[in-house]
Amino acid sequence: MQHPAEHSPLGKSSAYVATYSPEQLFPIPRAPKWAELGLSAATLPYRGVDIWNCYELSWLLPSGKPVVAIGEFAIPADSPNIIESKSFKLYLNSLNQSIFASQEALLEVMQRDLSAAAGKLVGVRLRGLDEVTAEGVAMLPGRCVDELDVAIEHYDAPRPELLRRDASRQVEECLHSHLLKSNCPVTGQPDWGSVVVDYSGPALLPESLLAYLVSFRQHADFHEQCVERIFLDLQRLLQPRRLTVYARYVRRGGLDINPYRSTEAFTPDNRRLVRQ
C-alpha cells in the first residue's frame, strides 16, 4: 500500500529554492493513520500538540542584512494534516534570500502559510540565540528505565502485548527512556528519540515498558503516529486516571519534532535535550 507521503519531496532529489515559496509545503492527512489506530477526528482520546524547532532559519532585512533565529512551531494534534518534514525544510530555506520588513511581518507570513497547510491555526514563535542558550539543556523528568536488565527479542513492530501492569498497586509515576528508535516510512532513515510516560493509575511494570519501546526499533512510521500509538496502547492497558506521553526527537535537516499527547491540559516543556 502506498504511503501518503510517497508524492511528497521526501526521498527525492529537490532543488533548494532560496526565495519565498509557500508552495513547497506538502500536507499529509492524519485521517488514514488515525483510522489504522481505530480513531477519527471526532473520537481522539487525547489533546496535544506537535512542537517543531527549526535551527536553520534566516531571512533578509530591508537593508539586505541577514538575520538568524530559532523558530518554534506548534501544530495542534487534531489538525487535519501534518506537514511533511522535507517540504517544511524546503519552505524554510525559501526564506533565506527573501526580504521581510520586520520580524512581525515574517511571523504573520509563516503563521498564514503553515496554518493553511495544517488546516488549523499553527503557533509560531521566533527565538533569539541568547534566549535559547540561557535555557540550557534539559533533563527528562522521572525515572529512566534504560538500565534495567531486560532480554530483548522483538524489534520489527510495536508489540503492545509486551506491556504489563500490576493492578494491585495504584501509582503516580513518570518514566522515561532514550532508547526509542523508528524509521521513516518513506526513506527508511532512522529517527532517534527520547520518550516520557507520565501517568496515574495501575502500576506499569518498567521492564515491560522498555521491551515495548524497543519493539519500535524497525517500525516505519512518522514521529507523531509513533507517539499516538504508544499513548493508545498504554491507555488500553492501564485505563489510567490521567496519561501524558511525549517524545523529543533528534533533529534532522535542522528540524526536530516533538509530539505531545495527553488526557490533560498541559504546557509543553520545549527545552532541548542533550541529543537535540
Side-chain angles (χ1 to χ4, degrees):
M1 180 178 174
Q2 192 177 56
H3 193 278
E6 288 289 349
H7 298 294
S8 78
L10 195 59
K12 302 179 179 69
S13 178
S14 302
Y16 280 79
V17 179
T19 54
Y20 174 61
S21 180
E23 60 271 16
Q24 298 289 341
L25 292 168
F26 188 90
I28 299 175
R30 294 185 193 262
K33 286 295 179 176
W34 283 341
E36 284 184 17
L37 298 172
L39 302 176
S40 70
T43 62
L44 299 180
Y46 51 72
R47 57 187 80 187
V49 65
D50 303 324
I51 301 290
W52 297 60
N53 297 300
C54 172
Y55 294 87
E56 300 178 12
L57 179 60
S58 186
W59 67 98
L60 301 180
L61 297 175
S63 66
K65 178 183 175 182
V67 183
V68 296
I70 294 174
E72 179 184 294
F73 310 99
I75 302 177
D78 62 349
S79 63
N81 306 313
I82 64 173
I83 300 174
E84 187 278 310
S85 59
K86 184 177 179 181
S87 80
F88 204 144
K89 172 66 173 173
L90 292 171
Y91 167 74
L92 294 171
N93 276 340
S94 81
L95 306 175
N96 292 347
Q97 291 298 115
S98 301
I99 294 174
F100 293 91
S102 64
Q103 180 169 297
E104 291 71 26
L106 174 61
L107 283 169
E108 182 178 340
V109 166
M110 288 195 295
Q111 184 168 67
R112 181 193 66 210
D113 295 341
L114 295 169
S115 298
K120 195 164 188 176
L121 184 64
V122 173
V124 179
R125 184 161 70 124
L126 295 181
R127 310 183 69 199
L129 306 190
D130 289 345
E131 175 191 356
V132 177
T133 299
E135 288 182 347
V137 174
M139 296 183 66
L140 290 180
R143 174 188 176 189
C144 182
V145 301
D146 294 349
E147 300 304 317
L148 295 172
D149 187 12
V150 177
I152 303 292
E153 299 179 358
H154 303 292
Y155 308 98
D156 56 331
R159 299 290 186 105
E161 66 272 16
L162 296 174
L163 292 166
R164 297 286 185 272
R165 68 174 188 168
D166 180 354
S168 68
R169 291 193 299 122
Q170 297 288 313
V171 299
E172 297 265 353
E173 186 173 41
C174 184
L175 303 171
H176 70 260
S177 172
H178 301 289
L179 299 183
L180 180 63
K181 174 194 169 290
S182 55
N183 294 330
C184 172
V186 178
T187 66
Q189 292 294 307
D191 293 320
W192 305 93
S194 301
V195 63
V196 173
V197 175
D198 190 358
Y199 72 101
S200 173
L204 175 63
L205 299 185
E207 295 84 358
S208 76
L209 175 63
L210 180 57
Y212 165 73
L213 293 175
V214 173
S215 74
F216 280 78
R217 197 166 178 84
Q218 292 295 91
H219 177 61
D221 223 338
F222 288 134
H223 304 58
E224 300 92 334
Q225 290 136 11
C226 288
V227 171
E228 288 170 0
R229 189 178 294 273
I230 295 168
F231 179 95
L232 290 170
D233 287 342
L234 290 171
Q235 188 181 57
R236 291 185 186 110
L237 174 77
L238 299 174
Q239 299 180 19
R241 292 183 292 277
R242 62 169 181 84
L243 173 64
T244 299
V245 175
Y246 66 89
R248 305 285 305 184
Y249 277 91
V250 176
R251 78 184 73 151
R252 282 206 280 134
L255 288 167
D256 64 45
I257 308 172
N258 308 280
Y260 289 72
R261 303 292 184 267
S262 182
T263 57
E264 312 300 308
F266 64 95
T267 301
D269 181 356
N270 192 35
R271 293 175 298 163
R272 64 189 179 93
L273 303 185
V274 67
R275 290 196 296 170
Q276 294 182 300

